[in-house]
Amino acid sequence: MRAVLPGKPQAKLQAVVTALWEGQRLVAYISGNALVILSGPHSLIQTIYDDQLLALQAVVIDEATGKIAICSSEEVHIFKPYGKKEGALKWSFQSSLELPSRDNGTLTLSWGSEEELLIGSSSLRLYQTAEDDNLIWNRSLPKPVKIASFSYDASLIASTGHHDRLIKLWRRQSFGADDTRFDFTYLPHPTAVTGIHWRRPHDRQQTLDHVLFSICTDSKIRIWAATDPHGLQALQLWAEIDMQEAIQPRQIETPYQSSKRYAYIIDSKDFTFATERAVQAVSSDDQKQHHALEHLLEVAKTSPEVCVVVDRRGGMSAWGLENVGCKARKSTDKFNIAHIENVELSFLQDVQAEQDNAQFLTFCSQQTDSPFTLLVHHFDGRILWYESKLEILFDPSPRQQRLQLKALWTGHEGPVKKIVRSGSGKALISRTNDNEGLIWKQRNDKSGLALARTSSLSCPEHIHRSCLLQEGNFVINLHHYSISLWDARSPVARFAASCAFQAKGKLLCLIPLPKSDPRSQSYYVATITSMMEAIVWKVNLPPESQRLLDQDSIPVIELFCASDLGMQDDLSFVLPVDPAGSLSAASDFLDTFAKDLAISYTDSGVLRAWSATLDLDKGSVNWLVTSTTETGIDNPSLASGSSIRKIAVVDSAKTGLTIWDPWSSQLEFDAKYGSSDSIQDLDWSSTPDEQSILAVGFPYKVVILAQMRYDYLNAGPAWVPIREIHIKELTSHPIGDSTWLGSGNLVIGAGNQLYVYDKAVDTSNDKIMDLSIPVHQHQSLSIFDLVTYLNGPLPVFHPQFLAQCILAGKLVQVQQIIIGLYKALKFFVTGDDLDSFVTIRPCDFYTEQEDFSYAAKKEMRSSYADFVDDDEPETVTEELAASLNENLAKVAIPQLSSHEQFYLADIIECVATAEKQRRSMDENAMRYLLFFRQHMIRKSQAPALQVSITWREIIWAYHSGSQDILVDLVSRQFHGRMLWEHARESGMFMWMTDLTALRAQFEVIARNEYTKTDEKNPIDCSLYYLALKKKSVLVGLWRMAAWNREQSGTQKLLRNDFSEARWKTAALKNAYALLGKRRFAEYAAAFFLLAGNLQDAINVCANQLHDLQLAIAITRVYDGDNSLVLRSLLEEKVLPQAAFEGNRWLATWAFWMLHRRDMAVRVLISPVYTLIDSPEAPNLQSKSYLSSDPALVVLYKQIRAKNLQALKGASKVPPRAEWDFVIQNARLYDRMGCDLLALDLVRNWEFLRQPRESITNGTHSPDPRNMLRRGSSLVVDDMPSPRSPTEQKMKPTGQPAPTVFEEPSTNSLLDSFGF
């Protein structure tokens, strides 16, 4: 935590207390109904909200037991410590003491010995609180006391009343709970007593003569000591110090300057410790030259008590008191230590009379790291923690900074309801329910003060919304029927102007509009109502440099314009966006590229982003909807947007969070939290280069999410949690609101406190470790640096960049990168810098290069053999890959994490394997092989992962002309023992287009399924042989299954002719019986095929076995690619599933299989659910960014020119849609860190030529081939012959005759099994 602002301290004499308990320094103070306990300037231990005590008046700590007592005017609560040994110190409620109604009023508290607690009001009451709270002494008083304080040995009590000039000194006659008695004497003063202080002994067990310091309104400090032990009074006046005489001003005092003096005592104990610290900090050689230290050592020789007098102008006078209480007092016993100037103690000017007071507490503990500390409690609601070295503080020579401000504790009295930041994040206002606000400004000084309170505001009207102008110098408050302007340049904000208005509907927001001229002093703010009426006001402010107001620079607020925005539909809310990224002036152009100012959301989950520009000539504001996103989330409870186009939405249950990209209306993140974690706040920030960060607020924690690069190959998350902040251990009050500062600090308001969390993130926490990012050398990182690591351009050798280059067909560049990396790592050692481009020129990625063949390169090398290094590698061979991967295993590349280095090694190995086969396969086969090999390597590294390759890889193989080679390579990958699970994993039966080869491969699967176990069970292969219509083979296999008890029955059944109705029925009965057992679904599907019922067989595969690939494969093998059953399966199962999931790869494959090549092209550009009617509403994942893989643009460019149908489909894509598609994919590349590929895409993309309007009679449509700029003669004409209108309406009837295979004899087939 960077800083804590624990709340406004009460303006009470006992509001702040400090104690040293068991070696730990404790500081406690009261704020509203909260007890705040701290151990250092920024170390908050606990905040206890006591709802039974409304306004606390006093707090005391018992140094012997660590107990803390607090009180209101009616009741005292005692808290006891626990958990110190475990290192988790906290306080819990012990008991309460209720006072008689006649004692109500101002209470004062003091701890005595043996856990005794003294309570003073209109009586003095002493309680024993060790076990039961017993009243052991009670004495009524003629008038209520203001102060009642035990001496440190608890034998004396000093008390005084309000405006009382007498101190009543109570002397204890006896100790013990049964008989406690006191008598008293008076210490008379000429005027009212304002403060008392008992001398602190070095140790509580030390017997030391009592010394009492008293301060009066006559500006004198009196020292009372027991100079005559036999006298009637316990204490006698020993000396006095005149505070007015102690500080003589060096300038002439003006009438308005205060002559007030304040005093505090530095006990001999603290003075001694502080002197020891000073001596330890300076070496013996330096001590001789250190005159200030010499002076301090001279003073400290006699261990004096030190009395310090200060005034409001920085003057300070310190007085030493030696031998206090000695009967024979010498004139030298009271001496001046120093009289110094420029001691800044932050006194405010123009404060109210009841707030014009200050209290001082000092301490210096025995620990070596404990500095001298001065706490200053200003009654205007501040506590300042100063630290100093005594030799500097009391140095007689002139110095500038004697005290270092370490913390300023202040804040609200009531719970924080709302925090609003300025556009730059350098100022903010925090508001409470009682319409009080504090204006804070960001500080970056070394004292650690992240926020400084600059002004307070108290408004008589209810504040509906607020915003800051001029970095917090002025505040605008929106009320129900007026808007007010406040000048916050002084400690107390002043009302400056207001403007009344009438609005239609409920006021929803207050939006500061960007200025077109940054130098203008005119500002514009707008509100939007629930009836979508926009009201804009103009605010004229004085320049920031002008502090005093003259007649010409009085702030003015006036109505500028009002307009109706329309779009009321089912509007739920409108709210301003969180400012993020660079603050730019308003543009004169109003288009979709303008920065967003507000977002609106409806009950049906439609998000709209709004922008606006000022038209000063017309006196109007133009509003524009820059994006519309249909989320499908009904009744969202909360939404928040950022000015750089990110929107987060919370569902109606407040447990589901989604993050959307309005540019593309895509879902980037979807998370469900526990029912106990209700989301109540969302706050956006961003790095300087506009990478987004989101803080998600729950009642007692804040989760910080960071944007990540898109990762389509691993379907990685686009957002990750990088930090969790828990406040439960600090406070029992839930979070009210939070916001980001421009510096990256997060401010959280809980109760009446503000917590400022540092922007540094610990890289050793589990969340960062899980990210596997290259933070080898960093203990902690700024949140901006960390998010930059997760985003931004990748080095060219990053595995994701290489994979995307392969998909984009840039195999030459991939080879160059790997060879460049091989050269760079030859002499690389850990700690060296590595060029992110490994000597590759960026222009190589977006300029066309001539791809030399291997033979041409070899010939060129032979021509210049004398000038070429023979060791220069040309292609990525398996030897080069092995050598490079050996280097990668030894060194840590600075730009990569260890996980990414493993991934890179996999890709290099795959590229080498693909290069070996390069001459015999096309680019699509290379793409498939590369990612299939990568999949297999990963599977071998993590065998538990049972995943198949994706439809993206299947599509590459489907459109390849080298499928026979792929089949062979895939089979070899499984050592020639390919089972159905392997075929499904490779997607083989989805991408094979040759039906003869498909059936041959399916028979291989059948044979391997049969022989996969030692017992060779025919049941395992029944489905496959019956799909191949090879029942006779199955009969032969059953003949040899003598071990199976079902052999005879099955053989007998299979010998029948299943073209007869009775045997079809028998097969169906068997199928349904097997389905009823819920264990033999695959065998049941085989019986459906035996009965000739293909439809039911594939239904079992798809619904019971949940194996869509098996259903498709069986249909293709059994009935061919033109089967009506396959068409039905694709149209009723596959395409709706693609629409539901948003899977464009699956959809384009299905359309291509259906010979709808035009739709296969169109679905690459448009979301699937927009082209297909799905029986189910698309789920959220269908709108995910993962459905818009940038590899789709590569496939689109490739297949749109394959044949006329595809080209016709491409021609139906509107030019604007194609433009948006290309730009969207460029954005995706950019978000992935592949900026060079984005540049290549937008630089080299060829749009289709739009056909000119034909002047013919309209009977002929234009030839789509004319739309291509080149290569039109290569387009295959696959357009179906035109049909009559009647034929077009008819669905195809009947099915083409399946290919008839001549079934070989059973014996010859069995030979292949070795029987």
Side-chain angles (χ1 to χ4, degrees):
M1 190 188 298
R2 171 86 185 273
V4 59
L5 298 158
K8 179 182 180 181
Q10 305 283 63
K12 303 288 182 182
L13 291 174
Q14 281 191 293
V16 188
V17 65
T18 178
L20 184 69
W21 172 61
E22 293 188 359
Q24 179 159 9
R25 174 58 57 184
L26 302 174
V27 178
Y29 77 90
I30 49 176
S31 173
N33 68 332
L35 166 63
V36 183
I37 309 166
L38 305 103
S39 61
H42 307 298
S43 303
L44 178 66
I45 299 177
Q46 189 180 7
T47 304
I48 301 170
Y49 288 89
D50 200 326
D51 295 329
Q52 298 175 14
L53 306 182
L54 295 179
L56 299 179
Q57 292 191 350
V59 56
V60 284
I61 302 176
D62 184 6
E63 285 199 336
T65 63
K67 286 186 177 182
I68 299 178
I70 57 174
C71 69
S72 66
S73 59
E74 302 173 356
E75 200 171 347
V76 177
H77 285 183
I78 300 170
F79 297 87
K80 60 181 179 182
Y82 67 93
K84 190 170 192 304
K85 291 180 181 177
E86 294 80 11
L89 177 61
K90 293 286 182 284
W91 276 259
S92 62
F93 178 77
Q94 175 189 304
S95 59
S96 64
L97 302 170
E98 290 192 25
L99 301 181
S101 57
R102 67 176 183 277
D103 279 6
N104 288 352
T106 303
L107 298 187
T108 179
L109 304 175
S110 181
W111 287 102
S113 63
E114 306 294 332
E115 301 182 45
E116 293 174 343
L117 180 63
L118 176 69
I119 304 173
S121 57
S122 54
S123 65
L124 289 178
R125 304 168 72 87
L126 186 61
Y127 288 87
Q128 173 54 251
T129 67
E131 296 176 2
D132 298 327
D133 298 327
N134 298 321
L135 178 65
I136 59 175
W137 180 69
N138 181 18
R139 184 68 177 262
S140 295
L141 301 173
K143 61 187 292 189
V145 294
K146 176 175 71 171
I147 306 169
S149 175
F150 263 119
S151 63
Y152 280 89
D153 62 357
S155 62
L156 294 177
I157 299 173
S159 69
T160 185
H162 294 274
H163 315 294
D164 197 344
R165 66 180 193 82
L166 297 174
I167 290 179
K168 194 174 283 188
L169 200 64
W170 303 81
R171 182 161 45 188
R172 195 164 194 157
Q173 301 296 308
S174 63
F175 283 85
D178 298 332
D179 183 23
T180 301
R181 289 173 297 159
F182 288 84
D183 65 2
F184 65 88
T185 57
Y186 290 105
L187 301 180
H189 292 72
T191 56
V193 177
T194 58
I196 59 176
H197 174 86
W198 287 103
R199 176 170 69 175
R200 180 191 301 269
H202 278 253
D203 189 84
R204 289 190 72 86
Q205 281 72 41
Q206 180 186 4
T207 55
L208 195 68
D209 290 339
H210 298 113
V211 175
L212 179 69
F213 298 87
S214 64
I215 303 174
C216 278
T217 54
D218 64 353
S219 289
K220 287 188 179 180
I221 304 165
R222 292 173 173 82
I223 299 97
W224 305 82
T227 55
D228 182 5
H230 305 294
L232 293 176
Q233 290 185 328
L235 299 177
Q236 291 81 33
L237 181 64
W238 184 79
E240 61 182 35
I241 298 172
D242 190 329
M243 292 193 286
Q244 294 292 342
E245 293 293 328
I247 300 179
Q248 294 293 334
R250 299 185 181 179
Q251 300 93 16
I252 298 173
E253 289 194 8
T254 52
Y256 63 84
Q257 284 183 313
S258 171
S259 60
K260 271 198 170 188
R261 301 286 187 267
Y262 306 89
Y264 58 90
I265 310 299
I266 303 175
D267 291 300
S268 172
K269 169 188 175 182
D270 293 333
F271 187 77
T272 303
F273 288 151
T275 306
E276 289 174 2
R277 295 297 92 75
V279 173
Q280 291 165 0
V282 180
S283 65
S284 56
D285 294 333
D286 293 339
Q287 283 185 24
K288 296 171 185 176
Q289 277 98 41
H290 208 307
H291 303 298
L293 183 60
E294 287 180 15
H295 174 68
L296 182 65
L297 291 173
E298 189 66 33
V299 171
K301 280 179 181 176
T302 55
S303 301
E305 316 296 325
V306 178
C307 178
V308 182
V309 182
V310 296
D311 65 8
R312 298 176 68 92
R313 296 187 302 278
M316 187 177 87
S317 179
W319 295 80
L321 305 169
E322 290 180 19
N323 307 317
V324 181
C326 180
K327 293 178 185 176
R329 187 190 152 208
K330 296 179 289 188
S331 59
T332 56
D333 286 349
K334 185 182 84 172
F335 59 93
N336 183 260
I337 297 174
H339 183 91
I340 49 187
E341 300 287 333
N342 301 321
V343 180
E344 179 56 50
L345 293 172
S346 298
F347 287 98
L348 297 182
Q349 304 294 332
D350 305 326
V351 291
Q352 300 170 5
E354 64 271 18
Q355 297 179 348
D356 189 14
N357 193 11
Q359 265 187 321
F360 299 82
L361 291 85
T362 62
F363 58 84
C364 183
S365 306
Q366 199 165 358
Q367 288 87 349
T368 54
D369 59 345
S370 173
F372 174 75
T373 303
L374 173 65
L375 295 181
V376 184
H377 171 209
H378 290 284
F379 278 41
D380 57 20
R382 296 173 299 142
I383 298 174
L384 292 94
W385 179 301
Y386 290 103
E387 290 180 0
S388 180
K389 297 176 180 176
L390 277 193
E391 74 274 20
I392 294 175
L393 182 63
F394 294 148
D395 185 0
S397 57
R399 278 181 180 269
Q400 282 304 314
Q401 193 174 7
R402 296 176 183 271
L403 293 167
Q404 283 190 328
L405 180 62
K406 292 295 182 182
L408 192 158
W409 298 335
T410 183
H412 293 275
E413 287 184 285
V416 174
K417 177 179 75 171
K418 187 68 180 171
I419 306 175
V420 180
R421 58 171 268 181
S422 65
S424 66
K426 293 178 180 176
L428 56 88
I429 178 172
S430 52
R431 286 201 330 265
T432 62
N433 285 316
D434 50 6
N435 301 315
E436 290 192 348
L438 292 179
I439 293 90
W440 309 82
K441 291 193 179 180
Q442 181 179 306
R443 293 284 187 268
N444 291 315
D445 54 8
K446 294 179 182 177
S447 66
L449 296 183
L451 278 182
R453 190 186 86 180
T454 57
S455 187
S456 62
L457 181 150
S458 182
C459 185
E461 284 187 82
H462 171 71
I463 300 176
H464 196 55
R465 296 282 184 270
S466 297
C467 76
L468 298 175
L469 302 179
Q470 254 189 29
E471 295 301 345
N473 287 341
F474 291 86
V475 182
I476 299 259
N477 288 325
L478 183 65
H479 314 288
H480 289 302
Y481 303 107
S482 67
I483 186 168
S484 61
L485 173 64
W486 295 73
D487 185 348
R489 294 178 292 178
S490 57
V492 178
R494 295 190 295 267
F495 173 80
S498 70
C499 179
F501 64 88
Q502 291 290 328
K504 302 174 193 170
K506 181 184 173 185
L507 305 175
L508 298 180
C509 58
L510 186 61
I511 307 167
L513 302 180
K515 300 190 297 179
S516 53
D517 181 6
R519 294 167 298 179
S520 169
Q521 294 306 313
S522 294
Y523 295 78
Y524 298 85
V525 292
T527 186
I528 299 176
T529 71
S530 56
M531 304 297 289
M532 291 306 284
E533 181 189 21
I535 305 173
V536 183
W537 293 273
K538 180 180 179 181
V539 185
N540 290 324
L541 299 181
E544 289 188 52
S545 56
Q546 185 176 337
R547 302 295 298 177
L548 299 175
L549 298 180
D550 55 35
Q551 194 62 34
D552 297 330
S553 61
I554 294 176
V556 176
I557 183 167
E558 59 187 7
L559 182 67
F560 181 68
C561 70
S563 57
D564 188 6
L565 303 182
M567 292 193 185
Q568 293 179 19
D569 43 33
D570 54 346
L571 180 71
S572 176
F573 220 90
V574 181
L575 64 165
V577 297
D578 290 337
S582 57
L583 288 174
S584 55
S587 168
D588 294 332
F589 298 101
L590 186 61
D591 52 28
T592 55
F593 293 98
K595 275 209 170 185
D596 293 342
L597 297 177
I599 63 162
S600 64
Y601 58 93
T602 66
D603 294 332
S604 58
V606 178
L607 302 173
R608 292 189 180 93
W610 296 81
S611 187
T613 57
L614 296 163
D615 190 337
L616 300 179
D617 296 333
K618 295 181 180 177
S620 64
V621 174
N622 303 313
W623 295 85
L624 175 71
V625 176
T626 57
S627 66
T628 302
T629 305
E630 295 186 11
T631 65
I633 299 170
D634 292 329
N635 302 309
S637 59
L638 185 64
S640 177
S642 80
S643 57
I644 53 173
R645 299 283 172 94
K646 289 284 182 283
I647 301 179
V649 182
V650 179
D651 64 9
S652 55
K654 295 189 176 182
T655 55
L657 171 69
T658 53
I659 299 177
W660 299 81
D661 178 11
W663 281 110
S664 55
S665 299
Q666 285 182 339
L667 175 70
E668 293 191 344
F669 181 76
D670 180 19
K672 287 285 183 187
Y673 297 95
S675 55
S676 58
D677 287 335
S678 62
I679 302 169
Q680 59 185 30
D681 188 29
L682 300 168
D683 293 289
W684 288 99
S685 181
S686 78
T687 64
D689 56 345
E690 300 195 351
Q691 314 292 351
S692 295
I693 306 167
L694 176 64
V696 185
F698 298 89
Y700 290 99
K701 70 176 181 181
V702 175
V703 176
I704 298 177
L705 300 172
Q707 169 184 308
M708 282 185 77
R709 296 183 191 94
Y710 285 165
D711 182 1
Y712 288 94
L713 302 177
N714 303 304
W719 290 80
V720 287
I722 56 171
R723 189 178 185 184
E724 254 187 45
I725 295 171
H726 294 266
I727 66 158
K728 191 93 175 185
E729 58 186 20
L730 301 176
T731 177
S732 58
H733 205 290
I735 294 172
D737 198 12
S738 59
T739 194
W740 290 95
L741 291 176
S743 59
N745 300 89
L746 181 67
V747 181
I748 298 174
N752 61 341
Q753 300 178 327
L754 295 177
Y755 305 100
V756 185
Y757 282 88
D758 198 20
K759 62 182 176 182
V761 180
D762 181 12
T763 56
S764 62
N765 79 52
D766 293 341
K767 288 182 168 50
I768 305 300
M769 299 295 279
D770 291 345
L771 293 180
S772 300
I773 56 173
V775 289
H776 317 286
Q777 65 276 25
H778 301 288
Q779 293 283 328
S780 68
L781 276 176
S782 156
I783 192 169
F784 290 163
D785 293 337
L786 177 62
V787 177
T788 301
Y789 268 123
L790 298 172
N791 296 277
L794 293 167
V796 295
F797 48 80
H798 192 282
Q800 168 148 300
F801 186 85
L802 288 175
Q804 289 300 326
C805 283
I806 292 163
L807 287 174
K810 297 191 173 297
L811 298 174
V812 174
Q813 286 83 349
V814 170
Q815 299 256 352
Q816 289 175 347
I817 291 167
I818 294 175
I819 292 168
L821 183 63
Y822 168 74
K823 293 177 185 174
L825 291 186
K826 265 187 175 180
F827 308 105
F828 181 85
V829 291
T830 302
D832 288 356
D833 290 331
L834 186 62
D835 178 15
S836 293
F837 286 95
V838 287
T839 69
I840 309 292
R841 297 179 306 164
C843 63
D844 290 347
F845 290 90
Y846 54 82
T847 54
E848 293 190 12
Q849 292 179 309
E850 189 177 351
D851 188 6
F852 290 111
S853 67
Y854 180 76
K857 288 180 185 173
K858 192 169 181 182
E859 185 180 342
M860 189 176 75
R861 277 172 54 84
S862 63
S863 305
Y864 299 96
D866 297 335
F867 307 102
V868 179
D869 181 6
D870 286 336
D871 295 333
E872 191 78 13
E874 294 175 342
T875 58
V876 180
T877 60
E878 290 182 337
E879 293 76 20
L880 184 145
S883 173
L884 178 52
N885 286 348
E886 190 180 333
N887 276 339
L888 285 173
K890 293 177 185 174
V891 297
I893 295 180
Q895 294 96 322
L896 301 181
S897 66
S898 55
H899 174 76
E900 288 164 347
Q901 278 193 221
F902 282 125
Y903 188 8
L904 174 60
D906 292 349
I907 283 194
I908 292 168
E909 185 181 333
C910 292
V911 169
T913 307
E915 174 62 23
K916 191 176 176 182
Q917 307 288 339
R918 186 167 64 91
R919 292 174 174 276
S920 52
M921 60 174 67
D922 59 16
E923 274 193 2
N924 283 342
M926 290 275 283
R927 290 182 178 109
Y928 173 84
L929 179 62
L930 200 87
F931 290 105
F932 174 69
R933 284 275 301 144
Q934 191 177 308
H935 164 77
M936 294 307 294
I937 290 172
R938 288 195 176 185
K939 186 185 171 189
S940 66
Q941 292 168 350
L945 291 175
Q946 295 296 323
V947 291
S948 304
I949 61 170
T950 66
W951 281 95
R952 176 182 55 232
E953 280 73 58
I954 290 172
I955 287 294
W956 298 126
Y958 183 67
H959 288 291
S960 169
S962 315
Q963 291 182 353
D964 51 343
I965 297 169
L966 288 181
V967 170
D968 180 52
L969 288 171
V970 170
S971 299
R972 272 194 264 163
Q973 183 68 46
F974 297 110
H975 312 292
R977 304 287 299 167
M978 186 186 289
L979 303 174
W980 170 251
E981 62 179 284
H982 301 140
R984 181 177 58 229
E985 190 179 337
S986 67
M988 176 182 289
F989 290 93
M990 303 300 102
W991 50 257
M992 288 180 71
T993 52
D994 182 347
L995 276 178
T996 306
L998 182 84
R999 289 184 173 117
Q1001 194 60 37
F1002 203 72
E1003 190 167 352
V1004 172
I1005 299 289
R1007 190 159 56 242
N1008 291 337
E1009 287 287 343
Y1010 174 69
T1011 59
K1012 69 181 178 183
T1013 59
D1014 292 338
E1015 61 184 12
K1016 296 185 173 63
N1017 192 344
I1019 292 175
D1020 293 339
C1021 62
S1022 297
L1023 177 61
Y1024 305 96
Y1025 277 116
L1026 291 173
L1028 287 161
K1029 300 181 180 178
K1030 295 190 176 182
K1031 185 186 77 173
S1032 56
V1033 177
L1034 198 58
V1035 171
L1037 297 179
W1038 273 107
R1039 192 183 302 147
M1040 289 178 292
W1043 56 270
N1044 195 320
R1045 63 183 181 180
E1046 297 176 6
Q1047 182 195 32
S1048 60
T1050 307
Q1051 270 187 296
K1052 188 177 178 184
L1053 179 66
L1054 288 175
R1055 287 197 193 102
N1056 296 302
D1057 182 2
F1058 286 90
S1059 61
E1060 296 179 17
R1062 57 177 294 213
W1063 295 115
K1064 277 188 179 181
T1065 306
L1068 289 173
K1069 283 182 179 178
N1070 275 289
Y1072 287 121
L1074 287 166
L1075 274 182
K1077 295 182 181 180
R1078 300 187 179 212
R1079 289 174 51 204
F1080 307 104
E1082 189 175 310
Y1083 202 28
F1087 274 96
F1088 278 124
L1089 287 180
L1090 192 60
N1093 194 333
L1094 175 61
Q1095 185 65 58
D1096 285 344
I1098 65 168
N1099 286 345
V1100 170
C1101 294
N1103 301 327
Q1104 271 71 36
L1105 294 174
H1106 305 291
D1107 193 340
L1108 187 61
Q1109 284 199 35
L1110 182 60
I1112 294 168
I1114 287 171
T1115 311
R1116 296 184 70 193
V1117 168
Y1118 187 89
D1119 219 7
D1121 282 352
N1122 295 317
S1123 158
L1124 285 180
V1125 177
L1126 180 60
R1127 174 176 288 274
S1128 169
L1129 177 63
L1130 294 174
E1131 289 178 345
E1132 296 172 11
K1133 183 76 179 175
V1134 176
L1135 284 174
Q1137 180 180 324
F1140 182 71
E1141 297 173 353
N1143 192 334
R1144 298 190 197 182
W1145 299 101
L1146 177 57
T1148 188
W1149 175 85
F1151 278 127
W1152 203 274
M1153 287 289 292
L1154 288 167
H1155 305 290
R1156 294 290 310 278
R1157 310 290 159 77
D1158 54 339
M1159 291 296 288
V1161 172
R1162 288 175 61 192
V1163 81
L1164 296 175
I1165 283 189
S1166 307
V1168 191
Y1169 59 85
T1170 61
L1171 299 176
I1172 302 168
D1173 291 330
S1174 172
E1176 296 180 82
N1179 66 355
L1180 272 178
Q1181 293 310 312
S1182 69
K1183 300 179 181 181
S1184 167
Y1185 77 96
L1186 290 170
S1187 66
S1188 298
D1189 191 331
L1192 289 166
V1193 79
V1194 180
L1195 182 65
Y1196 171 76
K1197 186 176 181 180
Q1198 183 185 118
I1199 69 172
R1200 72 177 179 185
K1202 261 198 167 185
N1203 49 49
L1204 276 181
Q1205 267 203 54
L1207 196 52
K1208 185 181 177 185
S1211 70
K1212 290 181 180 176
V1213 175
R1216 177 71 195 187
E1218 185 178 353
W1219 166 272
D1220 290 341
F1221 178 59
V1222 174
I1223 296 301
Q1224 166 65 5
N1225 279 282
R1227 280 202 192 99
L1228 296 179
Y1229 275 134
D1230 181 59
R1231 180 69 187 274
M1232 293 168 70
C1234 305
D1235 302 60
L1236 290 170
L1237 296 181
L1239 182 58
D1240 170 58
L1241 179 64
V1242 296
R1243 192 176 187 274
N1244 297 319
W1245 182 261
E1246 290 185 4
F1247 289 94
L1248 293 178
R1249 289 177 180 158
Q1250 291 308 303
R1252 295 178 181 172
E1253 293 295 328
S1254 178
I1255 348 174
T1256 62
N1257 56 8
T1259 55
H1260 296 288
S1261 57
D1263 187 347
R1265 281 177 289 201
N1266 295 332
M1267 301 173 72
L1268 288 176
R1269 297 176 187 273
R1270 52 188 172 181
S1272 58
S1273 59
L1274 302 175
V1275 177
V1276 178
D1277 187 353
D1278 64 342
M1279 297 293 285
S1281 56
R1283 296 184 291 171
S1284 68
T1286 311
E1287 286 179 318
Q1288 290 175 17
K1289 290 178 184 175
M1290 290 175 61
K1291 285 190 175 180
T1293 55
Q1295 64 185 60
T1299 309
V1300 179
F1301 291 89
E1302 186 176 348
E1303 201 169 287
S1305 69
T1306 310
N1307 291 333
S1308 64
L1309 279 163
L1310 291 175
D1311 287 344
S1312 60
F1313 291 97
F1315 304 121

